[in-house]
Amino acid sequence: MIPQIHQQGSNTLGLLHYLYGKGTHEEHIDPHLVASFDNMAPDPGRDPSATKMDLQHLLDQPLSLLDADRRPDKHVWHCSVRAAPDDPILSDEQWGDIARRMVAATGIDPGDGAGCRWAAFRHADDHIHIIATLVREDGRRSGKRAQAECRLIEKELGLHQVAPGDGTAAKRTTSAERHKAERTGRQRPAWEELRETVRRAVAGAGSEEEFFDRLAAAGLLIRKRVAPSGDLLGYKVALPDDRNGEKEPVFYAGSALAPDLSLPRIRERWALPVEAVASADGSEREQPVLPDVTGPAFARRRATAATWQALLIIDHGDDGAAAAQIAAAGEVLDALAKTSAAHTRKELREAAFVFERASRSHVRAVRGHDRALRQAARDLVHSGPALGRGEDGATTAMLIDMAFFLAIAAANWHAKKEHAQQTAAAQQAAEHLRAAYESAAAQPMAVLRQRGQRLAPRVRQRHAALLQQVLPELAEQIRAEAGWAALAATLDDVRKAGHDPAVLLADAARRRELDTADSISDVLVWRLRRSAHLLALPASPDGTATMGTRRSAPLAPVTQPATSAVNDPSRRR
């Protein structure tokens, strides 16, 4: 249940005409009164002898008792209260009780005999409107109190529990904006499309010039606000086909799209970077040579490494550093959605879209600690689109797998801070990442399973014995999974690469409990291939590169997450 206190006005009769009217799209059905300050107000919706002017006179009567200099310029208070889409339809009596509780909670009519005059109207199943005439300015009308009262109502009536707001959310879509989107054939309001486009342009951008070049390349109209000194102060953007009544483009300032999209907040991302951050245990990071791949696959491996380090910082760093990692994680998701193959793009876009809410809170991000993640986002964008198969597809699955953990880590961090909306957003993002992973991992895991099934019986038995030795409590469950063959193939690759499979398998299992995973073998496959620095999808038996792999000269060492016994943030799919 969501209360929304609208901007105060001065035209009671005009608002009544709207509430009792048919609505912009004739969506107002059977408009009528459900409650009022004295339970005796005339109802033009149900009483043919009553008029809107009668009701207006009753509500505004206290104004006539005040001297002209004491009358507020804007005396009309307006609040809507909307139920969640999955809530049951409430009766008029229930909505009337809700209205009375709302006016009491906000101080409109606290029941002390000196309250404001008000009335509550219903013209749809899922919401009501409350209007009141304000004749006192005692400061007791509070949106926060309205929110708190709605939380109590939800619990008492068994309704959908809405996460309380904290003032850090982006602007809310108005009914006029929704109707305009429907009228013009848009799937969502223009400002939401602009917000997503601007956020993608920010992802991994290294300068103002690059940021504005990306906005222009996306087809947006741009207005820059420049000081007399020539300094750039801000910007506005518009969709070319989003016009007002005068056929002019409708521009939105970056700060109006989201608090962190103002130019000053974007510039914080380009501040001087903090130098290399030690691992969570205080040790220096190891500098391994990654597999011989370039392009999108290499960018995805770097992003996976940066994401793992971000998890350690979120789990063990200070609040400012953790907030910076979570904010930068949104850029990685935006960049991943922008560059991934079609079969994963929809879920990745949804994950990035909902995670945006998790990237903002009252904990101020200390920029610089997010250098690795922001560079990872930049690498993803500049490496170009990835194939949906081969090493590109496999490293995409590897990165989504880690991004899932990051979303859960963000949800856990926000939950500890009692950031309800951010926690819910991160959890929703994790669900979309889970779906994206299933699509991305299908082909590479099938290839790895086929390789495992072709292993000689004695080799499979050796790996089964190793599994029993290292993970005796989980061995039987893992061998019953479809992914066991892929894990056996990976253990064989680890051994052939010169590593001790027992050591790496034990380390991979220690990073997080595995008994809650839907597919333990999947989790272990990606952890082993990362820690052993193997190709995500190995070459064919004849030595040729797997389709989708780019080969080149050896790469310079890059930062890779140190093998650590620190747990991953939370439960796996």
Side-chain angles (χ1 to χ4, degrees):
M1 183 166 290
I2 300 174
Q4 182 176 3
I5 297 178
H6 304 271
Q7 187 174 3
Q8 290 177 198
S10 58
N11 189 350
T12 304
L13 186 59
L15 182 54
L16 291 176
H17 277 303
Y18 167 74
L19 296 175
Y20 276 107
K22 294 182 178 180
T24 309
H25 295 269
E26 298 190 355
E27 71 276 17
H28 294 179
I29 301 173
D30 186 24
H32 59 279
L33 215 65
V34 294
S36 66
F37 69 99
D38 63 355
N39 294 319
M40 297 175 62
D43 182 7
R46 293 284 177 86
D47 183 357
S49 65
T51 67
K52 302 180 196 65
M53 190 168 291
D54 292 335
L55 181 55
Q56 179 256 322
H57 284 161
L58 179 67
L59 294 174
D60 286 350
Q61 189 175 20
L63 291 174
S64 64
L65 303 177
L66 297 177
D67 296 335
D69 58 350
R70 293 179 57 201
R71 295 176 186 173
D73 292 334
K74 294 185 176 181
H75 65 273
V76 182
W77 183 85
H78 177 202
C79 174
S80 59
V81 185
R82 186 177 298 273
D86 55 349
D87 281 339
I89 295 177
L90 302 179
S91 67
D92 283 354
E93 290 73 19
Q94 288 175 308
W95 277 119
D97 289 340
I98 290 170
R100 294 181 187 93
R101 294 179 61 167
M102 297 302 294
V103 295
T106 56
I108 292 295
D109 186 3
D112 58 3
C116 301
R117 295 193 174 191
W118 61 272
F121 309 85
R122 184 181 189 182
H123 52 212
D125 287 338
D126 63 348
H127 70 281
I128 59 170
H129 292 262
I130 307 170
I131 69 170
T133 298
L134 306 180
V135 294
R136 61 182 182 181
E137 293 297 327
D138 55 13
R140 290 191 290 173
R141 292 177 299 280
S142 168
K144 290 185 178 179
R145 291 180 181 177
Q147 292 281 357
E149 191 65 22
C150 278
R151 302 296 80 79
L152 294 175
I153 293 171
E154 289 163 354
K155 291 179 180 179
E156 292 176 14
L157 298 183
L159 303 178
H160 176 82
Q161 299 286 300
V162 176
D166 63 359
T168 62
K171 72 183 289 289
R172 184 178 295 168
T173 301
T174 66
S175 58
E177 289 169 334
R178 286 195 300 270
H179 293 154
K180 182 179 180 181
E182 295 172 2
R183 189 171 63 251
T184 56
R186 295 186 184 281
Q187 292 184 345
R188 52 184 170 166
W191 78 268
E192 289 189 6
E193 185 175 338
L194 286 169
R195 182 181 65 178
E196 184 174 1
T197 304
V198 172
R199 194 167 295 284
R200 288 181 185 172
V202 173
S207 65
E208 286 182 13
E209 181 180 5
E210 183 178 2
F211 169 59
F212 285 112
D213 284 346
R214 290 185 182 181
L215 292 180
L220 301 189
L221 303 179
I222 306 168
R223 282 183 182 171
K224 298 180 181 180
R225 185 162 61 92
V226 182
S229 62
D231 295 332
L232 182 60
L233 301 178
Y235 72 98
K236 293 182 177 181
V237 289
L239 295 174
D241 58 347
D242 181 33
R243 304 276 169 158
N244 59 21
E246 286 71 40
K247 306 301 181 183
E248 296 176 343
V250 180
F251 282 88
Y252 293 83
S255 58
L257 298 176
D260 57 341
L261 293 183
S262 67
L263 189 59
R265 294 291 299 275
I266 290 175
R267 281 172 171 159
E268 291 176 3
R269 311 180 192 212
W270 303 319
L272 290 175
V274 173
E275 293 305 317
V277 180
S279 297
D281 59 2
S283 63
E284 293 296 323
R285 297 173 183 171
E286 59 177 312
Q287 298 285 324
V289 177
L290 291 179
D292 187 16
V293 294
T294 59
F298 176 59
R300 278 153 172 72
R301 293 199 70 116
R302 280 190 66 131
T304 303
T307 302
W308 170 242
Q309 287 295 339
L311 294 176
L312 299 182
I313 294 172
I314 292 172
D315 279 350
H316 304 283
D318 60 38
D319 286 349
Q325 298 296 330
I326 293 172
E331 294 191 44
V332 172
L333 292 179
D334 283 319
L336 184 59
K338 183 176 181 179
T339 58
S340 291
H343 66 295
T344 58
R345 193 175 304 140
K346 181 180 183 296
E347 292 292 348
L348 290 173
R349 286 184 64 177
E350 290 296 328
F353 183 78
V354 298
F355 190 82
E356 179 266 342
R357 182 66 188 94
S359 67
R360 292 190 310 278
S361 71
H362 286 300
V363 178
R364 190 63 179 266
V366 179
R367 293 295 182 178
H369 293 289
D370 55 355
R371 178 185 182 186
L373 275 184
R374 295 203 68 252
Q375 183 61 48
R378 185 174 178 82
D379 290 345
L380 289 170
V381 172
H382 285 274
S383 68
L387 299 174
R389 60 187 185 278
E391 188 69 7
D392 281 8
T395 51
T396 297
M398 181 183 288
L399 175 54
I400 296 173
D401 177 76
M402 187 63 80
F404 173 89
F405 283 116
L406 189 146
I408 294 298
N412 291 343
W413 184 82
H414 280 304
K416 291 177 182 177
K417 303 294 179 186
E418 297 185 348
H419 300 162
Q421 290 197 1
Q422 292 87 341
T423 300
Q427 290 170 340
Q428 290 174 26
E431 290 304 309
H432 288 294
L433 288 168
R434 176 183 358 206
Y437 171 81
E438 298 299 337
S439 295
Q443 189 265 345
M445 291 302 293
V447 172
L448 289 171
R449 285 196 297 270
Q450 290 173 0
R451 292 183 71 250
Q453 291 164 356
R454 289 197 294 266
L455 292 174
R458 60 181 179 80
V459 175
R460 291 200 301 270
Q461 291 172 1
R462 181 170 66 237
H463 294 315
L466 174 66
L467 182 68
Q468 183 66 41
Q469 173 191 340
V470 177
L471 300 175
E473 296 180 356
L474 296 173
E476 183 178 353
Q477 179 181 345
I478 292 173
R479 287 198 302 270
E481 292 179 350
W484 159 238
L487 178 57
T490 296
L491 288 169
D492 205 53
D493 291 339
V494 169
R495 179 185 61 80
K496 290 177 180 177
H499 301 285
D500 185 336
V503 172
L504 291 190
L505 181 60
D507 181 74
R510 281 197 303 269
R511 290 184 179 182
R512 186 61 183 175
E513 80 282 353
L514 296 171
D515 56 340
T516 58
D518 289 346
S519 175
I520 299 175
S521 48
D522 270 30
V523 179
L524 293 176
V525 163
W526 297 124
R527 290 181 184 176
L528 287 170
R529 303 201 79 84
R530 284 197 305 269
S531 59
H533 318 308
L534 301 171
L535 286 168
L537 196 62
S540 302
D542 61 4
T544 60
T546 306
M547 185 178 295
T549 301
R550 282 85 162 166
R551 291 194 172 273
S552 67
L555 300 167
V558 297
T559 300
Q560 174 80 0
T563 302
S564 170
V566 178
N567 280 351
D568 284 345
S570 188
R571 60 179 295 180
R572 178 65 165 84
R573 287 170 295 277

